[in-house]
Each structure stands twice: as C-alpha cells, then as structure tokens.
Amino acid sequence: MDDLSTLWLILAAALATYATRVGGYVLITRMRTLPPRLEQALNAVPAAVLTTLWAPAFFTNGWDVRLALIAAALVSLRYPGLIMLAAGWAAAMLARHAFGL
Amino acid sequence: MNKDIVEGLKGGAIIALSASPFAVLFGAVAVDNGLTVLDAALMSATIYAGASQLVGIELFGQHVAPWLIVLSIFAVNFRHILYSAAIARHIRGYSFLQKAIAFFFLIDPQFAEAIRRAEQGRALTFTWYMAFALVIYFPWLFFSTLGAWFGSMLGDPRVWAIDVLLPVYFLGLVLGFRRKPGFYPVVAASMAGSVAGYYLVGSPWHVSIGAICGVLVAALLPLPAQPVATQVSEEATS
C-alpha cells in the first residue's frame, strides 16, 4: 500500500471513530425524556461492552491466560487496578516460564 | 492548583501508566506490519482507541480492502455510541465546542471514570475531564511512537506476557461495576454473546454482538421498584 492511501485510510478510520463518539449523544439528545428501560440499558453499557474485550480471551486461550485472568479477578476484590494488573501479569509469566503452560 | 486539575491528573496518570505497555506494543506491531513510525504516531494521535488500532494494524498486514478496515475499526469502536449516549445527561453544562472536544477523548477508562464520578454526585467539570484526558493522551502518543521506534526489539509479546495485559485490564474495569443492579445477568449475557460471536462470526464482530446481548438483557430485566438513579446514589453511600 502506498503512503498516500495509508494516510487517507488512517484519516477515514479516525473520522469513523469520532462518529461513534459523537453519535450516541446526537441520538439521545433528540429524545426528550429517557424511558426507564432505556436508562436501565444505558446503565449496563460499560459492563456489557468491556466484558466482550476479555471473555473471548478467557475461553479461546490456554491455561496461562485463564490463570492470569482468575488471579487478577481474585486480587481485584481487595486491591486497586495496578496491583491487579501486576498479579495477572505475574500469573501469566509463572504459568508460561515456570510451568510451561 | 485547581482541585479538579489535580484529581484529573492523578486519576489519568494511573491509566496512562497501565496503558503505556499497550502503546509500546501497538507501535511495535504497527511497524512489524509495514507501517512507518509516522503512520503509527498518526493513528495514535487521530484514532486514539487502543483495541481498534490493534485490529486495524492486524488487517493492514493482511492487505484487506481499505473500506473493510475502516468498517472493522468502526465495529470495534461502536461501543462509544453507547458511551456518548450515557454521558449526555452529565455534560449538559458544556458549550458546543467543549462537547466536540470532549467526545474526541471519550475512551474506555475516560468513560468509566467520568461515569463513576458523576454517579458519586460530583460535578463532571470540563477542567477535570480534560486534565484526565490529556494526561492519558500525550503519554499514549509518546509511548506508541517509542514502541514503533524500537519496533522489533520487543520480540514476541508472549515471552513477556504483554498479550495478557489487555484482557486483564478490561476484566478489572468490569469487576469495578459489580455492585451495579443487574451486573451478573448483563455480564453473563455479554460473555455468552461475545464468545458465541467470536466462534460463529469472528473478530471483531464479537465485540458488538456481545455488547448488544448484554444491553438487551439489561433492558429486559424487571425494573426496580424505585428509580435506578436513587439506587445508585444509595450504593455510593453504603
């Protein structure tokens, strides 16, 4: 792919991304009141979307990734984000290099 | 210094730190797939959406039709439509220009923190929002350029377990919402939908499919006796 078409491709992708970040606002402000079911659905958006960014990784990978996610989940019940990230990373390193998973 | 600026910078710095390995990874993978350092930097600067940038890079390497690459990036980022809809009622005080700028920076952790702040009853000021956003944006740009620069020096991301950081990070964000009403059925539906979508349709569609499943379940769950908003504020005080 030549340089110019790569540039246009990146800018098109940037525009598409910006459209998704403005689109919901434009749609929602056209509606006067929020029906309670829609509000309940909107409240569920973060959990529903972010789940899709880890669940397939858990089910389609080996036990190294699974153990990392399980360890991180347990640690996150008590400790903040960065410690949880470290725990998941350490579990994956152990699983791969000490146990050869 | 303004309290909103301090809190924004503090909160954002943690995110910037945990996102920096992904930025380095993105840069390295981008160069590995035939992009120049400048292209990689331009992607981080203008698209500014980690997961979709990685999807785009993967498709660049496979020489897929350009419109399909743009569509895939749109699909991965589709969730932002829901974010900007959910955040609308909390940023009524922003001017048109402030809204236009704020939406550009509406990434996953920005949304998660902004909503958390609003639900705790604190004002979602533009000052806090931009302090939080910019302290993530510039390191993201810097580290993706750095990663592209060092390119192949990182080697196989599996050796240093770089690849597990992304799912672990997203899992952590999800677990932070576990006290919200309807959390477990929503997450279960989203899990089932995304895994089924992954096998039956393929990546990146599983993101939108799983998200739609979770949101649909939330819409169909019985409504609480009291308004949702009241319940959330009670939770925050308990």
Side-chain angles (χ1 to χ4, degrees), chain B residues 219-237:
Chain B
L220 296 174
L221 282 176
L223 290 167
Q226 49 183 337
V228 174
T230 323
Q231 221 171 324
V232 170
S233 61
E234 270 173 15
E235 231 169 70
T237 53

Side-chain angles (χ1 to χ4, degrees), chain A residues 18 21 25 40 48-49 89 97, chain B residues 48 79 99-100 159-160 190 218:
Chain A
Y18 188 69
R21 285 178 178 156
Y25 178 82
Q40 191 163 283
V49 172
W89 177 81
H97 299 291
Chain B
Y48 187 46
R79 64 186 185 281
K99 281 174 190 160
V159 173
W160 290 99
S190 175

Side-chain angles (χ1 to χ4, degrees), chain A residues 1 3 6-7 9-14 16-25 27-29 34 36-37 39-57 59-61 64-65 68-70 72-73 76-78 82 84-85 88-89 92-93 96-97 101, chain B residues 17-18 35 39 42-43 46-49 60 66 70 73-74 77 79-82 84-85 88-89 99-100 103-104 106-107 111 158-161 163-165 167-168 170-175 177-178 180 187 190-191 194-195 198-199 206-207 210-211 215 218-221 223-224 228:
Chain A
M1 213 178 292
D3 288 350
T6 305
L7 179 71
L9 183 51
I10 291 171
L11 293 181
T17 303
Y18 188 69
T20 66
R21 285 178 178 156
V22 179
Y25 178 82
L27 289 177
I28 208 91
T29 45
L34 225 50
R37 285 206 181 272
E39 187 174 349
Q40 191 163 283
L42 286 179
N43 277 322
V45 168
V49 172
L50 296 171
T51 297
T52 69
L53 301 180
W54 63 264
F59 290 102
T60 61
N61 280 287
D64 50 345
V65 176
L69 286 168
I70 292 167
S76 80
L77 300 179
R78 280 204 60 171
L82 219 49
M84 180 212 69
L85 206 63
W89 177 81
M93 286 296 278
R96 279 176 191 171
H97 299 291
L101 285 172
Chain B
L17 191 67
S18 39
L35 285 189
D39 286 336
L42 189 70
M43 275 186 91
T46 62
I47 300 177
Y48 187 46
F60 269 124
V70 175
I73 289 176
F74 183 79
N77 288 328
R79 64 186 185 281
H80 296 116
I81 285 191
L82 305 166
S84 61
R89 57 199 150 132
K99 281 174 190 160
F103 286 132
F104 175 79
L106 193 57
I107 56 171
F111 173 70
R158 278 183 54 88
V159 173
W160 290 99
D163 56 317
V164 301
L165 291 175
V168 164
F170 288 125
L171 173 64
L173 285 184
V174 170
L175 289 171
F177 292 114
R178 67 184 181 276
K180 275 195 163 200
V187 167
S190 175
M191 269 173 82
S194 62
V195 174
Y198 188 89
Y199 281 116
H206 68 281
V207 174
V215 171
L220 296 174
L221 282 176
L223 290 167
V228 174

Side-chain angles (χ1 to χ4, degrees), chain B residues 110-122 124 176-177 236:
Chain B
Q110 182 86 31
F111 173 70
E113 277 301 316
I115 280 291
R116 202 162 67 108
R117 200 173 164 85
E119 283 177 357
Q120 283 170 352
R122 296 150 88 191
L124 199 58
F177 292 114

